[in-house]
Amino acid sequence: MDTLISDFEARGIDILDDESRLIYSVLLYNAGQYDESRIQLNKLIENNRSNSMAWYNLALLEHAVGNTEMRDFAIEVAIELDDSKVEILTFRGTLAIENSNWEEAATYLQRALEINPEYVEALSAMAWIKAKSGQLDLALTLLDKAVKLDPGYVYARVDRSRINLALRNYKNAELDLDKVIELEPDVQWHYLDRARIRLRYFLDYEGALADLENVERLDSDNFFALVYLAGLHDEQRRFSKARNYYFRVIEQRPEYFWAYMPLGKLEWMAGEYSESEKWFAKAAEQNPEDYTLQLMVAMSKFRLGKTNEADELFQQILQTLEIGKTEYEVIRFCAERKSDYYAISTLNKETDESLRERLWYYMGAIYESVNNTSAAIAVYERLKMRTGKMEYDLAWAALEGM
């Protein structure tokens, strides 16, 4: 690129004919030299205000730098001067898509495809319009054609991956991203898209982790990758790593409340009870219907020796529950820490397996707090192989560490 620019400059910019000056301006644009490119395009327009390609390239340049007013003016002039060039019509159509003017976009793109049915950018843009109107199969057909015409056109493959995803053709969606990554190995979003597919539809944790680590390598502050990495390590019970990633998530976005409960859980595991109290309290504010979050606040207070505060909170939780229910009897045991007879009796009768096993954890936590170690270990052993709930992770970590 720089060599080509230097060649033009060596020949003398002032003596360039219009065609050469247009090429020179495009090279400058592609090299990111926007101001210099604009100067050359304006010279072309001064020489010939009917030069539609100069106006079109000026519109592209202003679009790149975010000057929407001048961009819109330039593309309208280009269209008025020549509505037979597919690149001009296609760009006008894509601008309409950005503004959600679907009917207008379709008009310009249809005109472009009538002129050149094999113009891949117009095919891809039209596919997007069809997809937005729910015509997914037609969108896929258009993208298949675009990819066949130009296998290296990345945008068509990315869009085809998304359409296949919507059509539940998950393997095809992944295969397109495989090729996209081969073509553009340094674009972080391709890896992120593939990681989502691998996680959600194939449970391919190893593959997803490799993709997410590539995103982190390319951009260590990619928030979405950090969220996925935190969750992935958490789910795989690599709790120390999960904790570090959740800290990075919350550092970027303190308001990201989905991280509050995991941080409370992980800080409890680490024995940082003042921190677990804080995070569980923040989680409880966001989800006041879930009494287990308040219960973990009380448990944290109890571990910190703030017994009166813990007991007061236990009582507050009990007031929201129906007397005699399993959760009531378990939390009453947590509050009184005397006989566990009624709690165990109701647990043994509980038919909701998930509720029963989760509540067993709190029995174990109290046993541990009052130094009934053998009973605590028995509870934790009972739960540690279960997955999918906070309490099961806490039981596992109590035995295995972080």
Side-chain angles (χ1 to χ4, degrees), residues 195-222:
R196 288 177 174 137
I197 292 172
R198 287 175 164 179
L199 274 176
R200 293 176 183 174
Y201 306 113
F202 298 115
L203 301 181
D204 178 6
Y205 297 108
E206 185 176 342
L209 180 59
D211 280 340
L212 293 168
E213 287 176 343
N214 271 313
V215 178
E216 188 181 19
R217 173 180 58 82
L218 293 165
D219 179 5
S220 61
D221 293 325
N222 186 301

Side-chain angles (χ1 to χ4, degrees), residues 140 143-144 147 154-181 189-198 200-202 211:
L140 185 59
L143 289 167
D144 284 342
V147 171
V154 167
Y155 298 106
R157 287 188 180 274
V158 169
D159 285 345
R160 191 170 71 170
S161 175
R162 291 169 181 165
I163 298 300
N164 271 316
L165 198 58
L167 289 169
R168 301 183 180 181
N169 301 328
Y170 303 130
K171 191 59 186 177
N172 288 341
E174 183 183 24
L175 288 172
D176 261 330
L177 289 173
D178 291 345
K179 184 62 178 179
V180 165
I181 288 170
W189 303 106
H190 301 332
Y191 293 102
L192 188 62
D193 286 342
R194 191 170 67 177
R196 288 177 174 137
I197 292 172
R198 287 175 164 179
R200 293 176 183 174
Y201 306 113
F202 298 115
D211 280 340

Side-chain angles (χ1 to χ4, degrees), residues 35-65:
D35 290 339
E36 290 301 316
S37 179
R38 186 185 290 108
I39 289 171
Q40 299 306 316
L41 290 169
N42 283 329
K43 284 183 179 180
L44 283 170
I45 291 168
E46 288 171 9
N47 291 339
N48 179 9
R49 295 192 65 82
S50 297
N51 189 331
S52 62
M53 292 305 290
W55 285 105
Y56 163 65
N57 280 281
L58 181 61
L60 290 177
L61 186 152
E62 300 299 353
H63 182 63
V65 300

Side-chain angles (χ1 to χ4, degrees), residues 48 51 83 97 99 123 158 226 269 290 301 340 353 395:
N48 179 9
N51 189 331
D83 66 352
I97 289 175
N99 293 318
L123 285 167
V158 169
L226 295 178
M269 292 176 180
D290 186 351
K301 289 179 180 290
D340 58 7
E353 181 181 3

Side-chain angles (χ1 to χ4, degrees), residues 2-15:
D2 291 341
T3 302
L4 291 172
I5 291 172
S6 298
D7 288 344
F8 274 103
E9 292 172 348
R11 286 157 52 189
I13 297 171
D14 294 336
I15 63 171

